[in-house]
């Protein structure tokens, strides 16, 4: 989800909820402790220089049970971050600590924001020797007409 999308969605909501991949929710008294811009410069395994930029939201459960972030307040935090940090309309990455700090993509199911598991991937598959997926065949298609093939009742097994 891009920053412009969350800002638009927030104008339609009464509450802000974040659902974890396991179906649980981030406690409703969470804080957004950071909105930032993260740029990652790297070289993939094929030697190609790449860079990625995301807007990072850090969610924190502070045991501040009287706290409840309203959609308008989150929009204000985002707008302030855009103005001061010069943040553009990048994809959002959410950082949240459960058993360890996790980084998630952000989705929306029509009611709640969803923290979506991120996946690693090889960005240079044509350079790093990963075999392409073998085509799947039915056993009946293998040497089906050859006289050397086993057939039921053929006595080869």
């Amino acid at each position: 989800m891009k920053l412009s999308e969350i800002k638009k969605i927030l104008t339609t909501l009464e509450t802000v909820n974040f659902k974890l991949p396991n179906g649980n929710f981030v406690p409703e008294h969470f804080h957004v402790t950071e909105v930032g811009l993260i740029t990652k410069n790297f070289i993939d395994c094929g030697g190609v220089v790449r860079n990625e930029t995301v807007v990072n939201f850090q969610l924190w459960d502070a045991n501040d049970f009287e706290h409840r972030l309203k959609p308008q307040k989150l929009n204000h935090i985002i707008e302030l971050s855009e103005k001061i940090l010069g943040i553009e309309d990048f994809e959002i990455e959410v950082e949240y600590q459960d058993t360890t700090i996790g980084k998630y993509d952000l989705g929306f199911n029509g009611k709640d924001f969803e923290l979506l598991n991120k996946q690693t991937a090889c960005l240079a598959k044509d350079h790093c020797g990963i075999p392409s997926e073998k085509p799947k065949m039915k056993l009946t298609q293998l040497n089906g007409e050859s006289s050397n093939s086993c057939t039921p009742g053929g006595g080869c097994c």
Side-chain angles (χ1 to χ4, degrees):
M1 172 180 301
K2 288 195 167 212
L3 197 59
S4 59
E5 294 173 82
I6 193 172
K7 288 170 51 180
K8 184 176 179 181
I9 292 169
L10 286 169
T11 64
T12 68
L13 297 178
E14 292 184 30
T15 60
V16 180
N17 300 304
F18 288 93
K19 187 175 184 179
L20 294 162
N22 66 7
N24 294 334
F25 283 86
V26 171
E28 64 183 19
H29 53 272
F30 73 92
H31 288 250
V32 174
T33 56
E34 294 178 10
V35 174
L37 191 63
I38 296 177
T39 301
K40 176 181 170 183
N41 296 313
F42 60 101
I43 297 174
D44 68 24
C45 60
V48 175
V49 175
R50 299 178 183 265
N51 58 47
E52 296 176 354
T53 302
V54 295
V55 175
N56 185 66
F57 287 12
Q58 185 182 78
L59 308 182
W60 182 51
D61 174 7
N63 294 323
D64 174 8
F65 299 105
E66 303 304 316
H67 182 268
R68 181 74 176 151
L69 182 66
K70 299 288 184 197
Q72 301 83 356
K73 177 67 174 178
L74 181 52
N75 242 343
H76 174 72
I77 293 168
I78 292 169
E79 289 170 358
L80 185 62
S81 301
E82 288 175 309
K83 179 181 173 186
I84 293 175
L85 300 175
I87 293 176
E88 298 175 26
D89 193 23
F90 293 111
E91 289 289 323
I92 298 169
E93 177 179 83
V94 178
E95 194 173 274
Y96 177 68
Q97 183 167 347
D98 197 4
T99 54
T100 187
I101 297 172
K103 292 186 176 191
Y104 302 90
D105 287 327
L106 187 62
F108 186 69
N109 65 15
K111 180 182 176 203
D112 303 308
F113 292 104
E114 295 181 308
L115 302 185
L116 307 170
N117 286 324
K118 293 177 88 61
Q119 303 292 318
T120 60
C122 177
L123 300 176
K125 289 180 184 173
D126 56 334
H127 287 91
C128 64
I130 296 174
S132 61
E133 193 172 314
K134 294 180 182 179
K136 294 182 181 188
M137 297 180 70
K138 294 180 180 180
L139 291 176
T140 57
Q141 294 174 323
L142 297 175
N143 296 324
E145 289 149 23
S146 170
S147 60
N148 294 333
S149 66
C150 276
T151 58
C156 65
C157 302

